[in-house]
Amino acid sequence: MSKAPPASDPPDAGRAARQFFVVQELLGSPELARFYTDLLINSPTTVTAVRERQGFSKSTAYKYANRLAELGVATELDEYENGSSRWRGDAVSGDWTDETTLEFGPAIIAVYGATSVDDLELFVDRHGKAALAPAITATVRYLEGETTRRGVANDLGVPAVEGIAVTQAVERILAVLANDDPTLQSAAFEVEVHERAIEQGPYQRADG
């Protein structure tokens, strides 16, 4: 006889659905995704600090902060820095299953957010936003020492020069997000991402 599902299943299912729709909204706006990522990796921080790092106007930055609060992935704290409230960003992640199961988390949100300011925009223009998820997965395999950059190109079905370029763009984001993304916590990176590469990327830790 099969066991009845525990009483906590419905709330968990509801939380998973909310997480999925939050990810969907973030993936629908590169600039919102970029604001969220900077807030997440530098939490707690101020809206002013995020907008200065990412180049947003004051009105846009506060609009994004309030939208993230509405989505339940950012909280304005009762703490202050230089007269401004500090905010905390929370990691969001989940699985989406159709023919295959895809894991969504801060990494894909960060990578998509970078398409508005990074070389990744060209990759998305040529192959579509959906190509970002397999590009991230393949880059993780490269960083774990399981394949080469050219192997990534073969896996993605793109020219070698594009495979090399996309791994270089994605790896400098993964290096910053590794400790903030639940989907990357089990990854063991064997390939070192140089500090200079990270400095050229769209995200940096303020304390780094």
Side-chain angles (χ1 to χ4, degrees):
M1 179 182 297
S2 61
K3 293 183 178 179
S8 61
D9 277 3
D12 288 348
R15 179 178 180 277
R18 286 193 297 274
Q19 295 264 61
F20 173 75
F21 285 113
V22 169
V23 171
Q24 286 291 95
E25 176 146 354
L26 291 171
L27 293 181
S29 171
E31 289 196 344
L32 180 61
R34 187 155 51 91
F35 184 95
Y36 164 77
T37 299
D38 192 290
L39 176 63
L40 177 68
I41 65 175
N42 288 298
S43 289
T45 189
T46 65
V47 172
T48 298
V50 176
R51 75 179 184 85
E52 290 177 349
R53 283 190 293 265
Q54 294 297 329
F56 292 118
S57 69
K58 182 177 180 179
S59 61
T60 296
Y62 276 97
K63 179 182 73 174
Y64 287 159
N66 289 327
R67 183 56 186 148
L68 293 175
E70 291 171 358
L71 292 171
V73 293
T75 304
E76 185 175 8
L77 306 175
D78 190 19
E79 302 174 6
Y80 298 88
E81 180 180 326
N82 298 324
S84 297
S85 299
R86 302 178 86 186
W87 287 66
R88 184 191 72 238
D90 298 316
V92 57
S93 63
D95 297 336
W96 183 80
T97 301
D98 188 11
E99 294 180 357
T100 60
T101 297
L102 295 176
E103 277 190 306
F104 292 98
I108 193 170
I109 294 168
V111 170
Y112 182 58
T115 60
S116 61
V117 293
D118 202 67
D119 297 338
L120 285 163
E121 182 178 9
L122 180 60
F123 182 82
V124 171
D125 286 344
R126 290 182 175 176
H127 305 289
K129 182 171 65 177
L132 290 175
I136 293 170
T137 300
T139 303
V140 169
R141 292 183 59 245
Y142 163 73
L143 291 174
E144 291 179 325
E146 296 180 4
T147 188
T148 63
R149 295 191 193 275
R150 291 181 180 275
V152 169
N154 291 335
D155 290 344
L156 299 178
V158 301
V161 65
E162 290 190 26
I164 293 170
V166 75
T167 54
Q168 290 174 333
V170 171
E171 70 183 17
R172 60 195 184 194
I173 296 173
L174 297 183
V176 176
L177 267 290
N179 293 329
D180 293 288
D181 189 333
T183 69
L184 295 176
Q185 288 179 353
S186 62
F189 293 165
E190 296 186 2
V191 177
E192 181 181 359
V193 181
H194 295 294
E195 288 297 324
R196 182 177 298 179
I198 295 174
E199 291 172 359
Q200 293 173 346
Y203 308 110
Q204 285 84 38
R205 294 183 181 276
D207 59 0

